[in-house]
Amino acid sequence: MTIMTTTFVPCGAKLPIIALISAALFGNAWWVAPSAYFIGIAAIICSGIILKKTKLFAGDPAPFFKELPEYHMPTVGNVLRSMCERGQSFIQKAGTIILLLLS
């Protein structure tokens, strides 16, 4: 059900398109873009209610369990080793670009 309803979500990529189309087609009608945004939210709610009443999604939802790995505090040796590796990689990449630009 989530996959079916997420297409209606007015995300950050859809908002400029909604604004562009509403400005191009409706000119000075300021209410068109916010209306399209809220119609998208209403479509999510309505389609969720309609899908919930279908036979496919009827009943209680299945519980969701996700098992997380155990987290440990990093050792000083691992932190220093990682820091040295990343620093060396950065110096090699930056040094290559700097030497190419200076020559």
Side-chain angles (χ1 to χ4, degrees):
M1 185 171 11
T2 303
I3 292 171
M4 292 179 179
T5 57
T6 53
T7 57
F8 300 121
V9 175
C11 63
K14 286 184 183 179
L15 292 178
I17 303 302
I18 291 171
L20 178 72
I21 291 173
S22 67
L25 296 179
F26 299 102
N28 292 332
W30 62 268
W31 53 270
V32 175
S35 300
Y37 182 84
F38 290 118
I39 287 172
I41 293 172
I44 295 168
I45 294 168
C46 292
S47 63
I49 292 169
I50 291 169
L51 285 173
K52 183 69 176 169
K53 294 184 183 210
T54 62
K55 194 179 272 190
L56 185 62
F57 298 107
D60 294 331
F64 177 73
F65 293 102
K66 184 169 184 171
E67 193 170 321
L68 296 173
E70 291 186 29
Y71 291 104
H72 303 284
M73 287 294 293
T75 62
V76 175
N78 285 339
V79 171
L80 290 175
R81 187 178 313 113
S82 175
M83 187 176 66
C84 288
E85 288 174 1
R86 290 179 187 214
Q88 182 181 5
S89 174
F90 173 77
I91 290 171
Q92 286 176 346
K93 288 180 183 180
T96 304
I97 292 171
I98 291 170
L99 287 176
L100 285 174
L101 291 174
L102 293 176
S103 59

